[in-house]
């Protein structure tokens, strides 16, 4: 009886004629690049909002905001408190604004990079990529 390892060893030792193809990437579709960069930007936006909320909850749980309030009140008259500016709704709103701005920037950046690549292809001839079929 042969084991799976024996079968794999026999398979790898036999010569297979793998066809190699060299292709040149000469065009990136503008709308495909925009859609892909938009999806990447949505993922980044979700990660941004979740990370802001997690960091806020950790800071709130450890009591750092209260310690910062004590620190600021030690050299001021106590009228300025950090807890007035940093609350859960404010952190959530700020993270949403950052995520939306990031979404716009990443989407536009993907479109600009696709346009720049399409212009650079006219000078350089494109990106040469090799593929192999097994």
């Amino acid at each position: 009886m042969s084991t799976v390892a024996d079968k794999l060893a026999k398979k790898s030792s036999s010569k297979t004629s793998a066809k190699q193809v060299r292709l040149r990437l000469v065009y990136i579709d503008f709308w495909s690049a925009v859609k892909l960069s938009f999806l990447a930007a949505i993922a980044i936006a979700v990660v941004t909002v979740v990370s802001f909320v997690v960091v806020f909850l950790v800071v709130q749980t450890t009591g750092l905001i209260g310690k910062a309030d004590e620190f600021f009140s030690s050299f001021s008259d106590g009228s300025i408190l950090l807890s007035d500016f940093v609350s859960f709704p404010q952190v959530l709103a700020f993270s949403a604004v950052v995520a939306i701005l990031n979404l716009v920037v990443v989407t536009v950046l993907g479109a600009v990079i696709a346009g720049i690549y399409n212009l650079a292809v006219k000078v350089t001839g494109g990106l040469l990529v090799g593929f192999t079929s097994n």
Side-chain angles (χ1 to χ4, degrees):
M1 270 196 183
S2 65
T3 63
V4 175
D6 293 334
K7 289 180 183 178
L8 288 175
K10 185 190 297 184
K11 191 176 195 179
S12 66
S13 64
S14 64
K15 294 281 184 177
T16 59
S17 60
K19 184 176 179 181
Q20 293 184 353
V21 179
R22 296 176 73 189
L23 299 174
R24 193 174 296 272
L25 180 62
V26 295
Y27 180 72
I28 296 177
D29 184 48
F30 179 76
W31 288 113
S32 295
V34 170
K35 288 187 283 187
L36 186 63
S37 63
F38 181 71
L39 286 176
I42 287 176
I44 293 171
V46 169
V47 168
T48 301
V49 171
V50 169
S51 63
F52 269 68
V53 169
V54 167
V55 167
F56 172 74
L57 291 176
V58 167
V59 167
Q60 186 182 24
T61 304
T62 57
L64 288 175
I65 295 174
K67 297 284 185 187
D69 282 341
E70 292 174 12
F71 176 71
F72 286 133
S73 64
S74 67
F75 61 85
S76 68
D77 59 355
S79 62
I80 299 175
L81 296 175
L82 185 63
S83 59
D84 293 339
F85 299 107
V86 180
S87 65
F88 185 72
Q90 291 167 334
V91 168
L92 202 57
F94 180 72
S95 67
V97 168
V98 169
I100 290 170
L101 288 175
N102 218 356
L103 187 115
V104 171
V105 167
V106 170
T107 304
V108 169
L109 193 62
V112 167
I113 288 172
I116 289 173
Y117 181 80
N118 288 337
L119 290 175
V121 163
K122 294 179 181 179
V123 175
T124 62
L127 184 66
L128 190 63
V129 182
F131 292 98
T132 304
S133 66
N134 291 345

